Amino acid sequence: MRTAGSADLGSYLRRRRAMMAPPAGADGSRHSRRRVPGLRRQELAEISSISVEYYTRLEQGRAPRPSRDVLAALARAFGLTAVERDHLFRLAGELPPSPSAPSDAVRPGLARLMENLASTVPMTVHDGRLDVVAVNAAAGEMFGSVIGDGHYGRNIVHRAFTSPAFTEVLDDDGMDHLLRVAAAELRAALARYPDDPYLLGVLQDLTGRSPGFRERWGHGEVGVWRSAFKRIRHPDRGWLDVDTEMLHDPERDHWVMLYTVRAGPLDDECVARRASENPPGHVASDRRLVRPDQAPPVMRVWTAATSSATRRGRGRLSHREPPSSQLGVDRSASTDASAVGR
C-alpha cells in the first residue's frame, strides 16, 4: 500500500489547519473556549468533502497516499496560494498541477524592469501559448512591426509560417532555425495545454494553409531553446550579431527574452591578446570584446500609443500592440525527437 510517505505532509496539514479561523457562532462571535487554535479535524474534513477518519490518518501519516483530487480539495479548503498548493502536492509525492492557461498580465516588477531598460536592452515577453504579451522600446526599435492583425496576429509560430515579416529581420540560416524551433515549441505548448482551443486552432490553421509547417511538424521535434545566437537586420545599423537568453516565469508561464548585441570585428590588438590568453588546444569563447567606439548608441523609444513614426520621447511599456518577439535558436541544443503527438 502506498502511504503518504512523509511525516512532513501530516505536519504541514496540522499547521495549516491551526492557521484557519474557527467558524462564527450564532451570535457572530468566534468560538473562544477552544483549547487549540484553528479548525477541528471534523470541520476541515467537512470543508474538504472527505471523511474525518481519512483526514485524521493523513495528519498522522498512516493513510494511503492521497489522490490528486483529494490534494486539490485540501488546497481549496486551506485557501492555499499557487506556491503553497504546489508544496502540498510535492509533500504528497505528486507533481504540482500545471496551470490551465498562461497569465495575460506581465508581472509588475518585470514591467518596470523592461521600461527602465527600454533604451538599452531589447526585451520581449511571450506566454505559454507563444503569444507576444509585452515588448520594450529597444526591442521595438530592433525588430520593427512584425505583429499582424487577426486572431493569431500575436502568435509567434503562426506569424513565422504565414508572414514575410521575419524574413526582413533574419538571414536565411536564422529563418530556417526559427521555423524549426517554432514547430518544436508549438508541440511543447500543446503538451502543456493539450485541450487549449486557441493552440488547437493555431495547429489546425497552420496545417491547412502552410506546406512548410506540415513538413516541419512531421519531423516530430519538441523542445524549448533557452540560449541562442542570431543575426538580425537593424533598420538603422544593418546586420547585428545578437545573443539571446530566455528566462521562464513558471507561475505565469511567461518567457522573457533578453537580447545582447555583440561588437563588430576585433582589432589586431584584441586578436593578439585573445591568442595569448588561449593557447593551442584551448576552446575559446565566441563572445567578442566591446570597443568603446563600437558601443551601441542609445536607441529610440517605441510606444504603442505613438501613431507617428517620427514621434519620439520617453517610451512606456505596452501590453497591447508590441511590434515583435522572436524565438531563440541554440545551434548546440538538441531537441527531443519523440513527438508529443497530435
Side-chain angles (χ1 to χ4, degrees):
M1 178 180 66
R2 299 187 307 168
T3 63
S6 174
D8 292 339
L9 174 61
S11 177
Y12 186 68
L13 294 176
R14 290 192 297 272
R15 287 196 304 270
R16 298 301 311 194
R17 181 167 59 85
M19 294 169 60
M20 298 186 69
D27 58 355
S29 63
R30 301 290 180 182
H31 294 288
S32 59
R33 296 182 179 180
R34 298 191 176 204
R35 292 178 295 179
V36 293
L39 295 183
R40 297 186 176 98
R41 286 171 176 165
Q42 181 175 353
E43 293 167 338
L44 194 285
E46 290 175 355
I47 297 174
S48 305
S49 299
I50 61 178
S51 71
V52 65
E53 293 81 6
Y54 180 64
Y55 179 77
T56 300
R57 293 198 301 273
L58 281 176
E59 284 198 355
Q60 295 172 347
R62 299 186 296 107
R65 195 166 80 182
S67 68
R68 297 180 67 85
D69 288 341
V70 168
L71 292 171
L74 289 172
R76 289 191 297 269
F78 287 129
L80 301 182
T81 65
V83 174
E84 293 167 341
R85 177 207 61 200
D86 292 352
H87 181 64
L88 173 65
F89 271 71
R90 291 190 181 98
L91 287 177
E94 293 284 346
L95 291 175
S98 300
S100 58
S103 173
D104 58 0
V106 175
R107 194 180 299 278
L110 174 60
R112 288 191 294 271
L113 176 64
M114 294 181 72
E115 184 173 358
N116 289 338
L117 298 176
S119 62
T120 56
V121 179
M123 295 178 65
T124 67
V125 179
H126 63 268
D127 64 19
R129 291 192 180 105
L130 304 170
D131 272 4
V132 177
V133 294
V135 173
N136 75 352
E141 177 75 13
M142 175 177 288
F143 291 114
S145 180
V146 295
I147 297 301
D149 299 323
H151 190 50
Y152 304 121
R154 292 178 179 275
N155 190 266
I156 301 168
V157 180
H158 195 273
R159 293 287 289 171
F161 283 98
T162 62
S163 168
F166 285 111
T167 62
E168 298 174 1
V169 295
L170 295 175
D171 60 12
D172 292 342
D173 187 61
M175 274 303 304
D176 181 71
H177 281 272
L178 168 63
L179 297 178
R180 176 192 176 195
V181 170
E185 292 206 0
L186 177 59
R187 195 180 294 276
L190 281 165
R192 290 191 299 271
Y193 306 109
D195 300 318
D196 185 84
Y198 179 81
L199 286 173
L200 292 173
V202 171
L203 175 62
Q204 181 179 8
D205 190 75
L206 287 177
T207 301
R209 67 188 294 182
S210 173
F213 174 78
R214 292 195 296 270
E215 178 185 357
R216 300 278 180 170
W217 189 256
H219 295 168
E221 290 185 311
V222 56
V224 174
W225 281 255
R226 299 299 182 98
S227 299
F229 166 80
K230 63 188 66 175
R231 286 181 56 77
I232 297 176
R233 190 200 303 269
H234 191 277
D236 297 327
R237 300 169 60 195
W239 286 105
L240 301 176
D241 291 347
V242 179
D243 292 299
T244 68
E245 194 68 27
M246 188 159 62
L247 310 176
H248 188 218
D249 175 359
E251 184 176 347
R252 301 194 179 208
D253 198 9
H254 284 174
W255 298 86
V256 183
M257 296 281 292
L258 298 97
Y259 301 81
T260 304
V261 179
R262 296 184 181 182
L266 297 175
D267 56 21
D268 294 340
E269 179 182 352
C270 292
V271 172
R273 182 166 59 251
R274 288 186 68 185
S276 65
E277 293 172 351
N278 301 301
H282 176 79
V283 179
S285 169
D286 190 39
R287 295 186 182 274
R288 302 171 179 174
L289 302 177
V290 179
R291 294 196 335 218
D293 62 324
Q294 294 173 331
V298 175
M299 305 182 79
R300 291 171 295 176
V301 177
W302 177 88
T303 171
T306 302
S307 58
S308 171
T310 60
R311 180 178 175 181
R312 298 291 180 262
R314 173 68 176 171
R316 294 189 62 83
L317 179 70
S318 170
H319 302 285
R320 294 192 176 185
E321 295 296 336
S324 72
S325 177
Q326 178 62 46
L327 289 169
V329 177
D330 182 357
R331 291 188 173 88
S332 65
S334 61
T335 56
D336 181 0
S338 60
V340 178
R342 290 202 75 85

